[in-house]
Amino acid sequence: MRKFLRPLINGILRENPILVLMIGLCPALAVSSAAVNGIYMGLAATFVLVGSNLIISIIRRIVPDQIRIPIFITVIATFVTIVDMVMHAYAPDMYSILGIFIPLIVVNCIILGRAEAFAYHNGIIDSIGDGIGMGLGFTFILVVLGGIRELLGNGTLFGFQVMPISYKPVLLMILPPGAFLTIGFLQAIQRYRGGKS
Amino acid sequence: MDERFYVSAPPHIKSRYDARYIMHQVIIALIPPTIAGIVIFGFRALLVILISILSSILWQRMVLSVKGEKRPLDGSEIVTGLLLALNLSPLVPWWIPVVGTFVAIVLAKELFGGLGFNIFNPALIARAFLLVSWPMEMTTWMFPSIGVSQATPLNGITQATPLTLLKLQHIYTPYINLFLGNRGGCIGETSVLALLIGAGYLFFRGVIDWKIPIPYIFTVGVLSLVFKQNPLFHIMAGGLILGAFFMATDYTTTPITKLGRIIFGISCGVITVLIRLFGGYPEGVSFSILFMNAMTPLLDRWTIPKPFGYRPLGRNI
């Protein structure tokens, strides 16, 4: 059990992909204009991450070292295709919002990075734990990021009006600069907490 | 011990040109445009200026107390607050300058390390932030109150700026209105005469030199001619004079080498004209200066002066 939990908690807090490892920033910045987008994007990435970590961990002893990257990509692309088709069928609205960023999960650095750095060297249980932890860490930050931007930039949270009607939304927050500003603040808070403990 | 025998690393000669002195000179130079803005736009302009300066001082004090620093205010926050107010329409709601000075002081200046470490001009960052976030509030202009005769006692007729009028309706505002300031626009940008008085004072005091403002204004004039526009109109309309003399001459965010400063001015001019004639916004002064602020470290690196007689290593004759 500890073999499973250790990498899981590690991924959410101490090695959070966005705030600490600083990987996978591109989709995080692009789709985080609303909290709901963050949930869908994060869960899609989590599914791909767990699946690819599992498969790569199983086949790690028979994969030749020289061609491991193409093999990883093939595995990841399979899972991304599954997510892509399922989302297209069952959540067409969200599919049209997330658009190109679902297929682009194939080249997301979190997934290839964890395959290379973790699943290729660790057992099946650890790899699943790492996949869930990294995925949830990614989802968590996407939701926080999307929530802050949606609240300030649109006055809503998960689509519900939170701010009073007289509130004049800060348009900048749902534009790309708002994503950079917010992520900078979140990283600063993370560093501050890390520096104290 | 006498102060003259103070032993330390250089520089040994101390002048009165410290940050505080320069900030005070800039404040003095900004007095004519401020008065002109209040005369032209009336009580509302005064209110915007006061709110802006007071909130700016407040944010600065709060940042210092959070940081736990006990240094006195150096006057730069007054300059930032005043410059931001001069860059706002007199009709903005009261919270616009408060949010703006927060962005200027906290985000653009103190988070980068305080005065001397900021990459971008704080007042311009605040203006860009406000313009992108609240385009409606930021571009509701006011007709000058002295232009309204007693026969039409209306309060706050909105009127577009000369550049918007040119872009959307192809109307040229008369030169005399541009020069004296009897036109719509930001509080501090309308009166070219008052701005020139302030700029002249800064030249006279040696606070700013010609190497950025003059190439900047010259480039805008020449490029306007190239694109078959009226150069004099493009120089006097909009915020070019204010930007060129008071914002593009900020010590921290502009190059220090002579050639770098000239390139900075020319590039600002090119970008300004391109935005005005081909961009989505009617005015491009603030964005052009911000863009070139980002280029400043590169310009400084490319234009390091070559010492006399210098020869690159390993290339002996």
Side-chain angles (χ1 to χ4, degrees):
Chain A
M1 201 60 202
R2 260 195 70 198
K3 279 180 79 175
F4 175 73
L5 278 180
R6 263 262 300 278
L8 196 156
I9 293 171
N10 208 14
I12 296 178
L13 291 174
R14 219 164 52 82
E15 279 184 27
N16 186 298
I18 304 274
L19 294 188
V20 183
L21 302 182
M22 308 264 273
I23 53 178
L25 284 173
C26 181
L29 293 166
V31 303
S32 63
S33 56
V36 185
N37 301 359
I39 292 184
Y40 276 86
M41 183 71 202
L43 290 183
T46 308
F47 172 75
V48 176
L49 198 47
V50 174
S52 65
N53 263 11
L54 171 70
I55 299 294
I56 286 162
S57 177
I58 291 172
I59 63 173
R60 70 181 193 277
R61 295 195 199 286
I62 55 170
V63 171
D65 215 30
Q66 292 86 347
I67 55 162
R68 65 185 192 284
I69 300 290
I71 292 175
F72 293 168
I73 292 287
T74 314
V75 172
I76 295 167
T78 311
F79 282 98
V80 171
T81 310
I82 296 173
V83 169
D84 191 58
M85 288 176 167
V86 168
M87 212 177 236
H88 201 168
Y90 293 102
D93 294 345
M94 197 40 75
Y95 185 79
S96 64
I97 292 176
L98 296 182
I100 187 69
F101 288 97
I102 295 291
L104 278 182
I105 295 177
V106 175
V107 285
N108 190 319
C109 357
I110 299 177
I111 290 157
L112 190 60
R114 293 326 284 179
E116 166 81 9
F118 198 93
Y120 194 53
H121 306 288
N122 287 285
I124 298 168
I125 305 290
D126 303 42
S127 300
I128 295 177
D130 182 70
I132 296 176
M134 283 289 159
L136 289 185
F138 183 60
T139 313
F140 173 65
I141 295 304
L142 277 189
V143 173
V144 171
L145 194 61
I148 295 174
R149 291 180 63 194
E150 191 185 345
L151 186 69
L152 292 176
N154 205 19
T156 59
L157 203 54
F158 292 104
F160 296 107
Q161 187 76 32
V162 177
M163 292 296 207
I165 296 295
S166 58
Y167 174 73
K168 292 260 170 51
V170 192
L171 271 187
L172 187 95
M173 292 307 284
I174 48 174
L175 298 174
F180 283 101
L181 275 178
T182 317
I183 217 161
F185 271 105
L186 289 178
Q187 279 168 354
I189 293 169
Q190 166 79 11
R191 292 288 149 83
Y192 181 68
R193 280 182 49 234
K196 267 209 304 199
S197 62
Chain B
M1 203 47 129
D2 195 282
E3 270 191 8
R4 277 178 297 174
F5 295 106
Y6 187 68
V7 179
S8 74
H12 298 293
I13 300 172
K14 305 212 165 163
S15 77
R16 57 197 183 126
Y17 283 88
D18 60 351
R20 185 187 301 271
Y21 171 81
I22 287 167
M23 290 305 161
H24 287 173
Q25 296 307 310
V26 176
I27 294 172
I28 294 172
L30 281 172
I31 288 176
T34 308
I35 292 175
I38 295 170
V39 168
I40 293 166
F41 293 112
F43 181 66
R44 276 206 71 113
L46 177 68
L47 218 58
V48 170
I49 291 169
L50 283 183
I51 292 176
S52 188
I53 292 177
L54 288 180
S55 60
S56 169
I57 294 173
L58 200 76
W59 291 122
Q60 181 74 52
R61 283 206 177 279
M62 275 171 72
V63 167
L64 288 186
S65 78
V66 167
K67 274 178 156 180
E69 289 178 23
K70 284 208 168 29
R71 61 183 155 91
L73 302 182
D74 50 18
S76 67
E77 67 287 323
I78 300 179
V79 171
T80 302
L82 189 55
L83 273 180
L84 177 65
L86 294 185
N87 268 295
L88 294 173
S89 156
L91 287 180
V92 292
W94 63 269
W95 45 268
I96 285 266
V98 178
V99 176
T101 48
F102 170 80
V103 173
I105 302 286
V106 181
L107 287 189
K109 198 175 82 178
E110 290 298 334
L111 279 185
F112 282 93
L115 184 67
F117 296 95
N118 48 319
I119 303 171
F120 297 103
N121 187 320
L124 284 179
I125 283 282
R127 183 186 142 84
F129 183 96
L130 296 171
L131 188 64
V132 174
S133 293
W134 295 285
M136 261 289 290
E137 284 79 0
M138 285 294 287
T139 52
T140 308
W141 307 106
M142 179 182 173
F143 196 81
S145 58
I146 50 170
V148 183
S149 65
Q150 295 298 318
T152 53
L154 292 173
N155 214 350
I157 308 166
T158 57
Q159 190 215 23
T161 64
L163 280 172
T164 317
L165 284 176
L166 176 70
K167 191 158 202 162
L168 299 178
Q169 299 165 20
H170 301 281
I171 298 173
Y172 276 101
T173 311
Y175 290 135
I176 185 72
N177 287 1
L178 291 177
F179 188 69
L180 292 178
N182 191 12
R183 51 153 163 152
C186 299
I187 294 173
E189 74 176 13
T190 56
S191 177
V192 173
L193 176 66
L195 286 167
L196 287 180
I197 294 172
Y201 176 78
L202 286 185
F203 272 115
F204 170 70
R205 282 286 176 184
V207 175
I208 59 176
D209 68 353
W210 60 272
K211 290 188 194 68
I212 290 175
I214 302 302
Y216 189 174
I217 294 170
F218 186 72
T219 309
V220 170
V222 169
L223 270 186
S224 309
L225 262 184
V226 169
F227 288 111
K228 296 191 172 56
Q229 300 271 335
N230 183 340
L232 207 55
F233 175 81
H234 270 279
I235 288 173
M236 296 208 294
L240 177 62
I241 304 290
L242 177 64
F245 286 109
F246 292 96
M247 318 256 222
T249 52
D250 176 25
Y251 287 171
T252 312
T253 57
T254 54
I256 46 172
T257 61
K258 288 173 186 161
L259 183 61
R261 294 168 75 77
I262 294 171
I263 297 175
F264 183 95
I266 293 173
S267 311
C268 278
V270 172
I271 300 171
T272 302
V273 172
L274 288 181
I275 294 179
R276 277 186 184 180
L277 297 183
F278 305 108
Y281 285 103
E283 173 61 306
V285 169
S286 51
F287 289 114
S288 74
I289 298 174
L290 282 176
F291 185 81
M292 290 314 293
N293 282 347
M295 295 302 204
T296 296
L298 281 179
L299 285 178
D300 269 338
R301 178 175 292 193
W302 287 336
T303 56
I304 297 172
K306 213 164 76 178
F308 181 69
Y310 171 81
R311 216 179 290 124
L313 280 176
R315 222 192 280 170
N316 294 326
I317 304 162

